[in-house]
Amino acid sequence: MGTLLLLIMLAFEIAFSIYCIATKQNHKKMKNWIRIAIFLAFVLLTLSSVFLWSFRWVLAAILFFILAVKGTVSLIRNRTNSPKYKTSKIVWKSMIMILAFSFALAPAIVFPQHKSPKVTGNYDVATAAYTYIDKNRIEEFTDKRKNRFVDVEFWYPKTGDGTYPLLVFSHGGTGIKSSNTSTYAELASHGYVVVSIDHPYHSFYTRSDDGTVATINSDYNREINNMNNGVYSNEELYGLIQKWMKLRTDDMNFVIDTILEKAKSDNNPIYQHIDTEKMGVFGHSMGGAASVWLGRERDDIDAVVNIDAPFFSELAYKKERDDFAASSKAYKTPLFNIYSDDVWRQLESNSLYAANKLDNKHFKEAYTTHFQGAKHLSLTDLPLFSPILANYLQGGKAGIDPYYCIETENKLILDFFDNELKGIGHFSPERTY
């Protein structure tokens, strides 16, 4: 929608400039009426929900409003002496307006309007956000010596009156807690309480209850980029993995323990809707690795979904050959792996995925699915929210329809948790979608 509107505005601006040059007149009065008409049309299209009002339209609305006000004032003043016609002035003004329209409509182009993936459950879904303060940990990323804080958001059945399994999500290496919002909504609509965690300074951006904003830590971001560029030795990388996973799993353990404690004493309906005897964890990329890790550490985790991540918890570093190897311990928690092409093709060639290999006997009970044509971020909502940003971050466009990918993924995750936590249905995913 943003791209189409920009093309219309650019076509109008260029055509009107050509008309002025061809007739050697400014046609200022006509342009003023057109500016007013554009603003009114924008308002009507917004009120009729053709343009769904959001942050993406704010700059465009401001620009159209300013031009309409300027045009109205000019018409009211109704100067009889028109400014002298100059071709250079027409061209210069046209170039400025083209830049202004491009800037104002950039958010609508980068973050285009899109339909939401299907939510198929019977429950209406509500959300709530909180900040938990961990009094047992000091924030390592700042010099303020404050306690570690963790921002969380819940998706839960608004109209439900029973108790529902708890599902805890961890985002990717530089992601945000809303990365898989469509997944949370689908699960909540079928009777789950889903809580997604922002890992401050690991997440791209998070805002706490008190307005505190934490952006990604520059040192951590550099570590991630260096890992992706092959800068570190395997021994150095193994040390970083342990550091990253400790922070992630400490956050997840803290959130889970906090929620379980609140379920005993807090009258907030969200906590009272949680069945503390049934719990699953899931995550994308580094969050998936942390989820697998937690599935080994905690006895109260009943099911794990790993979305496109290596089993960091199952890796050992072999110094004598400077490489990674799979551990020799059986993994007993029910596990479902979902892979994109980006990870699928590394399962046999990259030793970071040594434990993920399909012939690993310690994971013989695990389910595994591969989305053919999908890239790493195809397994999040980002290709819908911002195709341009997703393509840039993952190095190209995926060869799979984004709606098919995320809606199929959401259904599979729902079916897996239904089978493992509620004992309903029969889970038998295809190897490839």
Side-chain angles (χ1 to χ4, degrees), residues 333-370:
T333 306
L335 173 66
F336 177 34
N337 298 303
I338 303 174
Y339 296 127
S340 69
D341 280 353
D342 288 343
V343 168
W344 186 257
R345 60 173 173 256
Q346 298 186 72
L347 295 185
E348 298 299 326
S349 61
N350 188 339
S351 62
L352 267 181
Y353 294 90
N356 295 66
K357 290 183 177 181
L358 301 180
D359 60 357
N360 187 340
K361 63 182 180 180
H362 300 299
F363 286 86
K364 61 183 179 180
E365 301 299 325
Y367 301 96
T368 297
T369 283
H370 164 221

Side-chain angles (χ1 to χ4, degrees), residues 30-269:
M30 181 187 300
K31 178 172 276 193
N32 289 333
W33 280 115
I34 292 174
R35 299 292 193 214
I36 295 169
I38 288 172
F39 174 69
L40 293 176
F42 180 82
V43 171
L44 289 173
L45 290 171
T46 302
L47 293 175
S48 60
S49 297
V50 174
F51 297 146
L52 300 177
W53 181 251
S54 68
F55 71 94
R56 60 177 58 88
W57 296 115
V58 171
L59 291 178
I62 292 172
L63 177 60
F64 294 152
F65 175 73
I66 291 173
L67 293 176
V69 169
K70 185 178 177 182
T72 302
V73 171
S74 180
L75 289 170
I76 291 173
R77 292 173 65 182
N78 193 22
R79 288 181 177 175
T80 56
N81 296 324
S82 299
K84 186 177 179 181
Y85 167 81
K86 288 184 180 180
T87 299
S88 60
K89 192 172 183 180
I90 294 294
V91 173
W92 179 245
K93 284 187 174 181
S94 180
M95 291 175 62
I96 291 176
M97 288 311 306
I98 287 173
L99 290 174
F101 287 134
S102 300
F103 177 76
L105 289 168
I109 295 171
V110 176
F111 305 102
Q113 284 186 191
H114 61 277
K115 66 178 182 179
S116 298
K118 294 176 183 175
V119 176
T120 64
N122 294 324
Y123 293 105
D124 292 334
V125 177
T127 63
Y130 303 100
T131 298
Y132 296 154
I133 306 297
D134 189 348
K135 296 181 179 180
N136 295 317
R137 285 190 296 161
I138 297 297
E139 181 54 69
E140 63 186 72
F141 289 105
T142 66
D143 296 327
K144 299 178 181 179
R145 305 299 294 173
K146 290 186 177 181
N147 290 103
R148 173 77 173 170
F149 69 93
V150 182
D151 297 322
V152 301
E153 188 164 4
F154 286 87
W155 282 257
Y156 61 98
K158 181 178 181 180
T159 53
D161 56 4
T163 58
Y164 311 99
L166 174 67
L167 302 177
V168 181
F169 182 87
S170 175
H171 61 72
T174 58
I176 53 178
K177 66 178 181 289
S178 59
S179 67
N180 287 65
T181 296
S182 69
T183 313
Y184 321 145
E186 175 68 353
L187 290 166
S189 77
H190 283 270
Y192 289 92
V193 176
V194 184
V195 59
S196 183
I197 300 172
D198 253 338
H199 300 279
Y201 304 104
H202 271 207
S203 62
F204 180 73
Y205 170 95
T206 185
R207 182 186 293 272
S208 300
D209 286 348
D210 63 0
T212 300
V213 173
T215 57
I216 189 167
N217 176 263
S218 58
D219 291 335
Y220 166 72
N221 193 39
R222 184 168 56 253
E223 290 170 354
I224 294 294
N225 290 331
N226 287 345
M227 177 190 71
N228 292 332
N229 293 325
V231 171
Y232 299 115
S233 68
N234 284 336
E235 186 172 12
E236 290 172 328
L237 182 54
Y238 188 70
L240 287 172
I241 287 171
Q242 304 309 304
K243 181 179 73 171
W244 297 336
M245 287 294 101
K246 176 170 173 49
L247 182 134
R248 290 290 183 119
T249 55
D250 281 354
D251 282 351
M252 295 177 76
N253 278 317
F254 166 63
V255 168
I256 291 172
D257 292 341
T258 299
I259 292 173
L260 294 180
E261 184 61 34
K262 287 181 177 294
K264 296 177 183 178
S265 56
D266 197 314
N267 291 326
N268 187 321

